[in-house]
Amino acid sequence: MASDDPKPLVDVQHVSKLFDTTQGVTDRLFGREPNPVRAVDDVSLTINEGDIMGIAGESGCGKTTLGKLLVKLHEPTHGSIEFDGKDISDLSNEERSEFRQRVQMIFQDPFESLNPRMTVFQSVMEPLKINGIGDGYHDRRERVKEVLNDVGLSPAEAYLDEFPKELSGGERQRVAIARALIVNPDFIVCDEPVSMLDVSIRAGVLNLMKELQDEYGLTYVFISHDLSLIRYMCDRTAIMYLGDIIEQGPTQDVVMNPKHPYTEALFDAVPEIDPEAERHRANVTGEVPNPRNPPSGCRFHPRCANIIPPEDWTGSQDAFRRTFQFKRRVLHDDLDPEEATESVGRESPDAILERGLALELPEEHTLADESSRSVDPSVLDLPGDAERTLRDAAEKLLGGDREGAKAELEGEFVSICEREHPDMREAGSRITACHLYEEEETDRVVAPGTSD
Ligand code: SF4
């Protein structure tokens, strides 16, 4: 349980983890710098003693890499991680073995984390042997039985000689939990601990983990893409997007009143259990970009419904968002004039405008009766000069002059969101990285052209 007087147990400061940092053959051939995958990028996070901290985000956002950094299964490329006041990249042999005992990880797939040739007794006892804990075979056997009972594998004697393949998924994950607990750790990172289990037994395993937190005085990190699990288990939650933490705070506040547009989109996309409940429209566009080549400024800007128009924009925010999307699609060769004219049914710059200004909503964000394939520009609050620029670009596209179309749009319609990476700022009880929030203010700043 989180305490009223929080004491930091894990302190992550500006940690990055880059993969593939060496030059490949083609890089060497063309004299190019390596282009690493920025799995975790400049993340700062504090986990207090007794916390259950959730780390959530879509797959590939870097949450598992961050979990592995916390338990020292990866070394940071930059930055520092302190555990109980000590930098974990700078441990003596003795401190390292103490760290290995105090910090454990539970993985998604219990089948993979357990050796199929070892019995339950051998698997759970092994960490005691590795850490030199226990006074001989008898003492260790008793300790194993005690922990098996604690994780609900009772009577323990019935499980000691079983092999993983003889157990159900839930039993296997309980063995993995017992294996983590046997060394009496302080901190456990749980990476999607129930996602491989049958839905009917997930709640049982999660409730067990809550009980064990009290009994063993544990601090947990739960890594999950499952937002209902995060809601159920975690006191505090950090949301990751493309290697960045973009919002963190008390789970209740992050879930019920998210500040960052990505968090809003993430939670709004979760289908309601109650079919009568109104489903919010998250309205996020496009797919997650490649982490090898993340967008400039705010990494979420190509998909963000709230992208901020420049000061001199006189139209609506919605019109700016569509204009910006049009520009990006032309610059990234993502607006095919043939496909646009075919889908709209006539060959003219208007058809390209209609298609290019329509929002590309991913399936989970599209309402059943909604058609997002084209939009009539005349219903948008689009300034005349902007429309002329878009039309000129559309004409060039139609005439097969892609480079000319790009030149029309290059340097136009630039948002602060595209230009500057937002710092983490306080926004009420949360910390969020979004230009919509100013340093000392807690409410969203109304961007020009918005009615928010
Ligand atoms: S900084 Fe801009 S693009 Fe990023 S989340 Fe905030 S409003 Fe959206």
Side-chain angles (χ1 to χ4, degrees):
M1 277 281 143
S3 128
D4 293 340
D5 181 21
K7 180 172 173 264
L9 182 65
V10 182
D11 191 25
V12 178
Q13 287 299 327
H14 301 292
V15 161
S16 300
K17 179 66 187 174
L18 314 185
F19 292 107
D20 295 344
T21 51
T22 50
Q23 264 184 329
V25 179
T26 44
D27 290 334
R28 278 201 297 275
L29 215 56
F30 294 105
R32 286 194 308 233
E33 289 295 312
N35 191 12
V37 175
R38 310 185 76 83
V40 170
D41 199 6
D42 198 20
V43 160
S44 295
L45 180 72
T46 301
I47 301 161
N48 293 320
E49 254 178 33
D51 266 359
I52 305 185
M53 167 68 88
I55 300 180
E58 289 164 287
S59 74
C61 70
K63 54 193 191 301
T64 292
T65 305
L66 178 57
K68 289 185 173 174
L69 286 161
L70 298 178
V71 301
K72 216 170 150 48
L73 284 177
H74 286 320
E75 294 297 329
T77 313
H78 307 291
S80 70
I81 302 174
E82 286 189 0
F83 177 75
D84 207 6
K86 185 85 197 146
D87 188 332
I88 64 170
S89 63
D90 186 27
L91 300 176
S92 64
N93 286 345
E94 200 181 317
E95 287 167 336
R96 192 170 299 123
S97 76
E98 189 192 321
F99 179 82
R100 294 267 174 249
Q101 196 180 315
R102 294 183 65 189
V103 175
Q104 297 291 315
M105 186 155 184
I106 294 170
F107 296 93
Q108 179 176 20
D109 184 356
F111 226 159
E112 272 183 21
S113 59
L114 299 175
N115 185 333
R117 284 187 292 277
M118 283 174 137
T119 63
V120 168
F121 170 66
Q122 289 166 331
S123 277
V124 179
M125 196 265 295
E126 194 185 34
L128 291 180
K129 244 168 115 180
I130 293 170
N131 288 286
I133 301 170
D135 193 10
Y137 175 83
H138 183 72
D139 186 43
R140 286 175 182 162
R141 195 171 171 89
E142 286 309 303
R143 176 78 189 120
V144 170
K145 285 202 282 191
E146 210 177 294
V147 175
L148 288 180
N149 281 320
D150 283 351
V151 298
L153 296 176
S154 157
E157 283 80 0
Y159 291 92
L160 288 172
D161 299 324
E162 300 286 293
F163 286 91
K165 68 174 184 334
E166 292 162 334
L167 303 174
S168 69
E171 287 170 333
R172 278 198 292 270
Q173 195 56 302
R174 284 171 193 256
V175 173
I177 296 169
R179 200 177 135 84
L181 283 179
I182 190 108
V183 290
N184 216 352
D186 297 314
F187 177 50
I188 303 185
V189 174
C190 312
D191 186 7
E192 305 274 11
V194 294
S195 61
M196 304 280 285
L197 305 183
D198 199 90
V199 176
S200 60
I201 57 169
R202 286 183 190 174
V205 173
L206 292 175
N207 287 335
L208 168 75
M209 294 179 90
K210 273 195 171 177
E211 285 163 24
L212 292 169
Q213 188 203 15
D214 285 341
E215 206 174 318
Y216 282 75
L218 296 167
T219 302
Y220 281 130
V221 162
F222 271 83
I223 295 169
S224 186
H225 70 286
D226 179 350
L227 299 167
S228 46
L229 179 151
I230 294 281
R231 252 185 284 200
Y232 182 64
M233 290 297 286
C234 303
D235 316 310
R236 298 181 59 75
T237 294
I239 307 290
M240 286 190 80
Y241 183 75
L242 267 185
D244 258 350
I245 288 183
I246 48 91
E247 178 159 10
Q248 53 172 303
T251 302
Q252 198 54 19
D253 296 344
V254 170
V255 172
M256 298 312 292
N257 185 16
K259 294 290 179 185
H260 196 283
Y262 175 66
T263 315
E264 221 170 303
L266 202 59
F267 281 98
D268 281 353
V270 179
E272 295 284 350
I273 295 165
D274 175 4
E276 299 296 310
E278 189 189 341
R279 182 172 165 187
H280 297 290
R281 176 199 164 108
N283 213 358
V284 63
T285 41
E287 303 299 329
V288 182
N290 183 347
R292 210 178 267 281
N293 198 11
S296 60
C298 169
R299 291 180 174 187
F300 187 52
H301 84 256
R303 308 177 68 201
C304 182
N306 301 84
I307 187 166
I308 302 170
E311 298 258 310
D312 59 358
W313 178 260
T314 53
S316 69
Q317 190 270 342
D318 175 65
F320 176 74
R321 178 191 183 197
R322 292 168 185 270
T323 301
F324 185 84
Q325 300 270 326
F326 184 101
K327 174 182 87 166
R328 262 191 80 82
R329 289 162 72 184
V330 172
L331 295 183
H332 289 81
D333 292 320
D334 202 18
L335 182 57
D336 178 357
E338 267 177 38
E339 190 267 331
T341 49
E342 246 170 54
S343 77
V344 173
R346 37 183 221 286
E347 197 170 310
S348 76
D350 283 344
I352 294 176
L353 275 186
E354 284 170 33
R355 184 75 189 85
L357 287 168
L359 298 173
E360 296 274 350
L361 300 174
E363 208 179 309
E364 70 273 24
H365 295 282
T366 310
L367 302 181
D369 57 349
E370 183 175 54
S371 160
S372 61
R373 303 296 287 171
S374 70
V375 64
D376 176 359
S378 68
V379 303
L380 303 175
D381 180 15
L382 200 58
D385 53 347
E387 189 172 340
R388 275 190 295 281
T389 307
L390 297 180
R391 195 171 290 281
D392 287 348
E395 269 168 16
K396 293 208 159 91
L397 266 188
L398 196 62
D401 180 8
R402 280 179 183 273
E403 293 314 310
K406 287 180 189 177
E408 288 289 342
L409 297 170
E410 196 82 60
E412 298 289 333
F413 314 120
V414 178
S415 163
I416 184 177
C417 303
E418 180 187 15
R419 226 177 39 232
E420 290 178 24
H421 187 273
D423 293 330
M424 284 301 242
R425 296 187 172 109
E426 280 187 22
S429 60
R430 279 127 290 172
I431 308 174
T432 189
C434 172
H435 289 303
L436 289 169
Y437 302 95
E438 296 290 4
E439 198 90 54
E440 271 108 22
E441 292 184 38
T442 55
D443 290 329
R444 182 178 281 186
V445 174
V446 178
T450 64
S451 54
D452 191 352

